PDB file of all heavy atoms in Angstrom:
ATOM      1  N   ASN V1341     -81.281 167.858 102.452  1.00 88.00           N
ATOM      2  CA  ASN V1341     -79.941 167.782 101.801  1.00 88.00           C
ATOM      3  C   ASN V1341     -79.055 166.927 102.669  1.00 88.00           C
ATOM      4  O   ASN V1341     -78.264 167.483 103.520  1.00 88.00           O
ATOM      5  CB  ASN V1341     -79.312 169.186 101.614  1.00 88.00           C
ATOM      6  CG  ASN V1341     -77.997 169.136 100.896  1.00 88.00           C
ATOM      7  OD1 ASN V1341     -77.610 168.129 100.326  1.00 88.00           O
ATOM      8  ND2 ASN V1341     -77.293 170.260 100.920  1.00 88.00           N
ATOM      9  N   PRO V1342     -79.062 165.609 102.541  1.00 87.00           N
ATOM     10  CA  PRO V1342     -78.247 164.711 103.426  1.00 87.00           C
ATOM     11  C   PRO V1342     -76.802 164.916 103.271  1.00 87.00           C
ATOM     12  O   PRO V1342     -76.000 164.537 104.176  1.00 87.00           O
ATOM     13  CB  PRO V1342     -78.652 163.293 102.901  1.00 87.00           C
ATOM     14  CG  PRO V1342     -79.945 163.477 102.218  1.00 87.00           C
ATOM     15  CD  PRO V1342     -79.937 164.854 101.666  1.00 87.00           C
ATOM     16  N   GLY V1349     -68.271 163.825 106.502  1.00 87.00           N
ATOM     17  CA  GLY V1349     -67.794 162.544 106.944  1.00 87.00           C
ATOM     18  C   GLY V1349     -66.833 161.936 105.921  1.00 87.00           C
ATOM     19  O   GLY V1349     -65.778 161.330 106.296  1.00 87.00           O
ATOM     20  N   ILE V1351     -65.058 163.542 103.769  1.00 89.00           N
ATOM     21  CA  ILE V1351     -63.833 164.285 103.745  1.00 89.00           C
ATOM     22  C   ILE V1351     -62.901 163.875 104.900  1.00 89.00           C
ATOM     23  O   ILE V1351     -61.659 163.801 104.717  1.00 89.00           O
ATOM     24  CB  ILE V1351     -64.142 165.825 103.848  1.00 89.00           C
ATOM     25  CG1 ILE V1351     -64.832 166.289 102.537  1.00 89.00           C
ATOM     26  CG2 ILE V1351     -62.851 166.632 104.085  1.00 89.00           C
ATOM     27  CD1 ILE V1351     -65.264 167.731 102.603  1.00 89.00           C
ATOM     28  N   ILE V1353     -62.660 160.899 106.090  1.00 88.00           N
ATOM     29  CA  ILE V1353     -62.038 159.622 105.711  1.00 88.00           C
ATOM     30  C   ILE V1353     -60.883 159.857 104.681  1.00 88.00           C
ATOM     31  O   ILE V1353     -59.859 159.240 104.733  1.00 88.00           O
ATOM     32  CB  ILE V1353     -63.056 158.671 105.182  1.00 88.00           C
ATOM     33  CG1 ILE V1353     -64.129 158.305 106.213  1.00 88.00           C
ATOM     34  CG2 ILE V1353     -62.409 157.362 104.640  1.00 88.00           C
ATOM     35  CD1 ILE V1353     -63.542 157.650 107.499  1.00 88.00           C
ATOM     36  N   LYS V1366     -43.145 157.937 105.459  1.00 86.00           N
ATOM     37  CA  LYS V1366     -42.337 158.208 106.601  1.00 86.00           C
ATOM     38  C   LYS V1366     -41.748 156.939 107.167  1.00 86.00           C
ATOM     39  O   LYS V1366     -40.589 156.899 107.628  1.00 86.00           O
ATOM     40  CB  LYS V1366     -43.147 159.014 107.677  1.00 86.00           C
ATOM     41  CG  LYS V1366     -42.350 159.461 108.876  1.00 86.00           C
ATOM     42  CD  LYS V1366     -43.203 160.180 109.826  1.00 86.00           C
ATOM     43  CE  LYS V1366     -42.394 160.620 111.078  1.00 86.00           C
ATOM     44  NZ  LYS V1366     -43.273 161.343 112.051  1.00 86.00           N
ATOM     45  N   ALA V1368     -41.154 154.198 105.478  1.00 83.00           N
ATOM     46  CA  ALA V1368     -40.199 153.627 104.541  1.00 83.00           C
ATOM     47  C   ALA V1368     -38.900 154.376 104.448  1.00 83.00           C
ATOM     48  O   ALA V1368     -37.851 153.805 104.098  1.00 83.00           O
ATOM     49  CB  ALA V1368     -40.879 153.527 103.119  1.00 83.00           C
ATOM     50  N   ASP V1369     -38.934 155.669 104.797  1.00 79.00           N
ATOM     51  CA  ASP V1369     -37.676 156.505 104.623  1.00 79.00           C
ATOM     52  C   ASP V1369     -36.458 155.913 105.260  1.00 79.00           C
ATOM     53  O   ASP V1369     -35.402 155.757 104.619  1.00 79.00           O
ATOM     54  CB  ASP V1369     -37.988 157.893 105.161  1.00 79.00           C
ATOM     55  CG  ASP V1369     -38.672 158.760 104.175  1.00 79.00           C
ATOM     56  OD1 ASP V1369     -38.588 158.502 102.943  1.00 79.00           O
ATOM     57  OD2 ASP V1369     -39.370 159.769 104.582  1.00 79.00           O
ATOM     58  N   ILE V1381     -41.255 157.004  98.207  1.00 85.00           N
ATOM     59  CA  ILE V1381     -42.366 157.452  97.310  1.00 85.00           C
ATOM     60  C   ILE V1381     -43.049 156.293  96.609  1.00 85.00           C
ATOM     61  O   ILE V1381     -44.269 156.239  96.482  1.00 85.00           O
ATOM     62  CB  ILE V1381     -41.820 158.429  96.284  1.00 85.00           C
ATOM     63  CG1 ILE V1381     -41.390 159.765  96.944  1.00 85.00           C
ATOM     64  CG2 ILE V1381     -42.818 158.707  95.184  1.00 85.00           C
ATOM     65  CD1 ILE V1381     -42.531 160.560  97.532  1.00 85.00           C
ATOM     66  N   ALA V1421     -37.499 149.638 118.102  1.00 90.00           N
ATOM     67  CA  ALA V1421     -36.439 148.788 117.662  1.00 90.00           C
ATOM     68  C   ALA V1421     -35.155 149.547 117.603  1.00 90.00           C
ATOM     69  O   ALA V1421     -34.020 149.020 117.838  1.00 90.00           O
ATOM     70  CB  ALA V1421     -36.746 148.123 116.341  1.00 90.00           C
ATOM     71  N   ASP V1428     -42.047 155.958 123.116  1.00 94.00           N
ATOM     72  CA  ASP V1428     -42.444 155.223 121.903  1.00 94.00           C
ATOM     73  C   ASP V1428     -43.368 154.064 122.264  1.00 94.00           C
ATOM     74  O   ASP V1428     -44.327 153.774 121.486  1.00 94.00           O
ATOM     75  CB  ASP V1428     -41.236 154.715 121.154  1.00 94.00           C
ATOM     76  CG  ASP V1428     -40.417 155.859 120.545  1.00 94.00           C
ATOM     77  OD1 ASP V1428     -41.003 156.896 120.137  1.00 94.00           O
ATOM     78  OD2 ASP V1428     -39.174 155.807 120.532  1.00 94.00           O
ATOM     79  N   LYS V1443     -61.285 148.829 114.262  1.00 85.00           N
ATOM     80  CA  LYS V1443     -61.600 147.491 113.769  1.00 85.00           C
ATOM     81  C   LYS V1443     -60.709 146.509 114.412  1.00 85.00           C
ATOM     82  O   LYS V1443     -59.467 146.683 114.492  1.00 85.00           O
ATOM     83  CB  LYS V1443     -61.511 147.447 112.247  1.00 85.00           C
ATOM     84  CG  LYS V1443     -62.504 146.509 111.584  1.00 85.00           C
ATOM     85  CD  LYS V1443     -62.729 146.866 110.165  1.00 85.00           C
ATOM     86  CE  LYS V1443     -63.936 146.102 109.653  1.00 85.00           C
ATOM     87  NZ  LYS V1443     -64.229 146.401 108.207  1.00 85.00           N
ATOM     88  N   TRP V1444     -61.304 145.402 114.969  1.00 84.00           N
ATOM     89  CA  TRP V1444     -60.550 144.466 115.779  1.00 84.00           C
ATOM     90  C   TRP V1444     -59.342 143.794 115.092  1.00 84.00           C
ATOM     91  O   TRP V1444     -58.356 143.595 115.710  1.00 84.00           O
ATOM     92  CB  TRP V1444     -61.519 143.417 116.287  1.00 84.00           C
ATOM     93  CG  TRP V1444     -62.376 143.821 117.397  1.00 84.00           C
ATOM     94  CD1 TRP V1444     -63.717 144.112 117.284  1.00 84.00           C
ATOM     95  CD2 TRP V1444     -62.005 144.161 118.762  1.00 84.00           C
ATOM     96  NE1 TRP V1444     -64.201 144.603 118.527  1.00 84.00           N
ATOM     97  CE2 TRP V1444     -63.180 144.630 119.434  1.00 84.00           C
ATOM     98  CE3 TRP V1444     -60.855 144.131 119.441  1.00 84.00           C
ATOM     99  CZ2 TRP V1444     -63.182 145.000 120.755  1.00 84.00           C
ATOM    100  CZ3 TRP V1444     -60.779 144.475 120.777  1.00 84.00           C
ATOM    101  CH2 TRP V1444     -61.962 144.924 121.427  1.00 84.00           C
ATOM    102  N   PHE V1454     -43.981 143.837 119.879  1.00 95.00           N
ATOM    103  CA  PHE V1454     -43.271 142.762 120.647  1.00 95.00           C
ATOM    104  C   PHE V1454     -41.920 142.407 119.851  1.00 95.00           C
ATOM    105  O   PHE V1454     -40.946 142.140 120.463  1.00 95.00           O
ATOM    106  CB  PHE V1454     -44.138 141.538 120.797  1.00 95.00           C
ATOM    107  CG  PHE V1454     -45.130 141.713 121.880  1.00 95.00           C
ATOM    108  CD1 PHE V1454     -46.479 142.088 121.563  1.00 95.00           C
ATOM    109  CD2 PHE V1454     -44.877 141.407 123.201  1.00 95.00           C
ATOM    110  CE1 PHE V1454     -47.414 142.258 122.565  1.00 95.00           C
ATOM    111  CE2 PHE V1454     -45.809 141.563 124.239  1.00 95.00           C
ATOM    112  CZ  PHE V1454     -47.076 141.982 123.910  1.00 95.00           C
ATOM    113  N   ARG V1465     -29.009 147.021 122.859  1.00 64.00           N
ATOM    114  CA  ARG V1465     -28.972 148.481 122.772  1.00 64.00           C
ATOM    115  C   ARG V1465     -29.432 149.069 124.121  1.00 64.00           C
ATOM    116  O   ARG V1465     -29.248 150.294 124.354  1.00 64.00           O
ATOM    117  CB  ARG V1465     -29.877 148.952 121.635  1.00 64.00           C
ATOM    118  CG  ARG V1465     -29.329 148.559 120.260  1.00 64.00           C
ATOM    119  CD  ARG V1465     -30.224 148.999 119.162  1.00 64.00           C
ATOM    120  NE  ARG V1465     -29.667 148.643 117.846  1.00 64.00           N
ATOM    121  CZ  ARG V1465     -30.268 148.860 116.664  1.00 64.00           C
ATOM    122  NH1 ARG V1465     -31.415 149.520 116.647  1.00 64.00           N
ATOM    123  NH2 ARG V1465     -29.694 148.507 115.547  1.00 64.00           N
ATOM    124  N   SER V1470     -35.246 146.755 131.637  1.00 87.00           N
ATOM    125  CA  SER V1470     -35.929 148.006 131.294  1.00 87.00           C
ATOM    126  C   SER V1470     -36.876 147.844 130.150  1.00 87.00           C
ATOM    127  O   SER V1470     -37.976 148.397 130.136  1.00 87.00           O
ATOM    128  CB  SER V1470     -34.909 149.134 131.061  1.00 87.00           C
ATOM    129  OG  SER V1470     -34.153 148.836 129.890  1.00 87.00           O
ATOM    130  N   THR V1479     -48.332 146.529 127.264  1.00 95.00           N
ATOM    131  CA  THR V1479     -49.325 145.486 127.299  1.00 95.00           C
ATOM    132  C   THR V1479     -50.543 145.821 128.199  1.00 95.00           C
ATOM    133  O   THR V1479     -51.688 145.479 127.849  1.00 95.00           O
ATOM    134  CB  THR V1479     -48.700 144.211 127.758  1.00 95.00           C
ATOM    135  OG1 THR V1479     -47.555 143.876 126.938  1.00 95.00           O
ATOM    136  CG2 THR V1479     -49.697 143.000 127.731  1.00 95.00           C
ATOM    137  N   THR V1482     -52.559 149.347 126.666  1.00 95.00           N
ATOM    138  CA  THR V1482     -53.346 149.243 125.447  1.00 95.00           C
ATOM    139  C   THR V1482     -54.804 148.876 125.728  1.00 95.00           C
ATOM    140  O   THR V1482     -55.700 149.578 125.235  1.00 95.00           O
ATOM    141  CB  THR V1482     -52.654 148.285 124.501  1.00 95.00           C
ATOM    142  OG1 THR V1482     -51.338 148.754 124.174  1.00 95.00           O
ATOM    143  CG2 THR V1482     -53.517 148.177 123.159  1.00 95.00           C
ATOM    144  N   LEU V1487     -60.671 150.658 126.283  1.00 91.00           N
ATOM    145  CA  LEU V1487     -61.875 150.810 127.057  1.00 91.00           C
ATOM    146  C   LEU V1487     -62.222 152.295 127.273  1.00 91.00           C
ATOM    147  O   LEU V1487     -63.385 152.674 127.338  1.00 91.00           O
ATOM    148  CB  LEU V1487     -61.760 150.084 128.434  1.00 91.00           C
ATOM    149  CG  LEU V1487     -61.703 148.577 128.368  1.00 91.00           C
ATOM    150  CD1 LEU V1487     -61.483 148.009 129.732  1.00 91.00           C
ATOM    151  CD2 LEU V1487     -62.936 148.002 127.752  1.00 91.00           C
ATOM    152  N   LEU V1495     -69.398 148.750 129.250  1.00 84.00           N
ATOM    153  CA  LEU V1495     -70.744 149.009 129.695  1.00 84.00           C
ATOM    154  C   LEU V1495     -71.766 147.949 129.296  1.00 84.00           C
ATOM    155  O   LEU V1495     -72.690 147.667 130.005  1.00 84.00           O
ATOM    156  CB  LEU V1495     -71.201 150.388 129.159  1.00 84.00           C
ATOM    157  CG  LEU V1495     -70.390 151.589 129.651  1.00 84.00           C
ATOM    158  CD1 LEU V1495     -70.860 152.875 129.001  1.00 84.00           C
ATOM    159  CD2 LEU V1495     -70.499 151.740 131.161  1.00 84.00           C
ATOM    160  N   ALA V1515     -68.057 135.398  99.751  1.00 64.00           N
ATOM    161  CA  ALA V1515     -67.527 134.180  99.107  1.00 64.00           C
ATOM    162  C   ALA V1515     -66.067 134.058  99.504  1.00 64.00           C
ATOM    163  O   ALA V1515     -65.328 135.020  99.468  1.00 64.00           O
ATOM    164  CB  ALA V1515     -67.703 134.213  97.622  1.00 64.00           C
TER     165      ALA V1515
END
Side-chain angles (χ1 to χ4, degrees):
N1341 183 13
I1351 291 174
I1353 297 301
K1366 186 179 177 182
D1369 278 337
I1381 289 294
D1428 292 323
K1443 213 157 191 178
W1444 285 107
F1454 284 95
R1465 295 180 179 177
S1470 64
T1479 305
T1482 301
L1487 293 177
L1495 296 175

